């Protein structure tokens, strides 16, 4: 897998994408323990290279998730049942395109991921607030490295989790 790029108390803070820095999205699939079918996963994370470094990126990610209505923690949101959630995923021509207010990111997806998407119609989306500077675009991410990051309780408990329906262009 090669990752792709893409105030005062009480006052409303404007989201500044420069604090988030480089946002990376990775797609993979794996057997889901509940039904033994493959689940397509999509992980978004910052490298921590924005204004304010890793701490600034984490704060910016938390603010973005709060602004769009995705809670941070281990519970997940089913976007198909959430009215007005401004997060969409378009899959077309071997690419996944994630769109949220203030950002759009895309990645090339493997064939087994596409097959899992066709089977399920949604992905399990994780937006990590904790930066992952070692998994930069152009540097292959090993299965062990991905498993270590995504399986880390401190990453999972501080991330947003969402079942995100997949949209496709109609031809």
């Amino acid at each position: 897998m090669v990752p792709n790029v893409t105030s005062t108390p009480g006052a409303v803070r404007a989201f500044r994408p420069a604090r988030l820095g480089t946002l990376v999205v990775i797609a993979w699939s794996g057997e889901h323990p509940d039904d033994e079918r493959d689940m397509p996963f999509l992980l978004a994370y910052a490298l921590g290279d924005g204004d304010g470094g890793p701490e600034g990126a984490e704060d910016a990610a938390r603010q973005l998730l709060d602004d769009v209505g995705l809670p941070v923690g281990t519970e997940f949101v089913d976007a198909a049942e959430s009215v007005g959630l401004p997060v969409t995923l378009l899959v077309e021509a071997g690419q996944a395109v994630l769109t949220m207010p203030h950002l759009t990111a895309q990645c090339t997806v493997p064939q087994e991921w596409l097959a899992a998407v066709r089977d399920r119609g949604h992905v399990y989306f994780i937006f990590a607030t904790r930066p992952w500077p070692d998994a930069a675009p152009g540097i292959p991410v090993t299965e062990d490295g991905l498993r270590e990051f995504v399986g880390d309780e401190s990453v999972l408990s501080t991330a947003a989790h969402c079942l995100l329906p997949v949209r496709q262009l109609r031809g």
Side-chain angles (χ1 to χ4, degrees):
M1 274 176 268
V2 177
N4 293 282
V5 182
T6 307
S7 68
T8 59
V12 175
R13 297 183 306 160
F15 179 76
R16 293 185 319 128
R19 291 199 57 179
L20 191 60
T22 304
L23 183 75
V24 181
V25 179
I26 294 179
W28 79 97
S29 60
E31 188 176 288
H32 193 277
D34 289 346
D35 60 14
E36 298 180 1
R37 294 172 28 224
D38 275 356
M39 173 68 79
F41 293 92
L42 191 68
L43 170 67
Y45 60 91
L47 294 181
D49 60 352
D51 295 351
E55 295 82 16
E58 187 168 347
D59 290 345
R62 285 179 178 273
Q63 181 185 352
L64 175 64
L65 294 169
D66 186 53
D67 288 353
V68 301
L70 284 175
V72 171
T74 56
E75 292 186 35
F76 72 88
V77 171
D78 186 341
E81 297 177 3
S82 298
V83 177
L85 186 70
V87 181
T88 60
L89 180 64
L90 174 68
V91 176
E92 193 64 36
Q95 298 284 312
V97 181
L98 175 70
T99 303
M100 299 173 69
H102 309 291
L103 65 88
T104 298
Q106 79 179 55
C107 70
T108 302
V109 295
Q111 288 300 315
E112 60 272 10
W113 188 88
L114 290 170
V117 163
R118 282 191 296 276
D119 180 42
R120 292 196 181 262
H122 62 259
V123 303
Y124 192 106
F125 173 53
I126 303 167
F127 195 118
T129 61
R130 186 171 123 193
W132 192 15
D134 298 336
I139 300 172
V141 173
T142 66
E143 284 186 40
D144 287 342
L146 179 62
R147 190 177 302 112
E148 184 178 312
F149 183 76
V150 175
D152 185 329
E153 184 58 34
S154 68
V155 171
L156 289 176
S157 65
T158 60
H161 302 260
C162 179
L163 283 182
L164 193 55
V166 174
R167 297 181 321 155
Q168 295 181 314
L169 296 177
R170 305 222 188 274

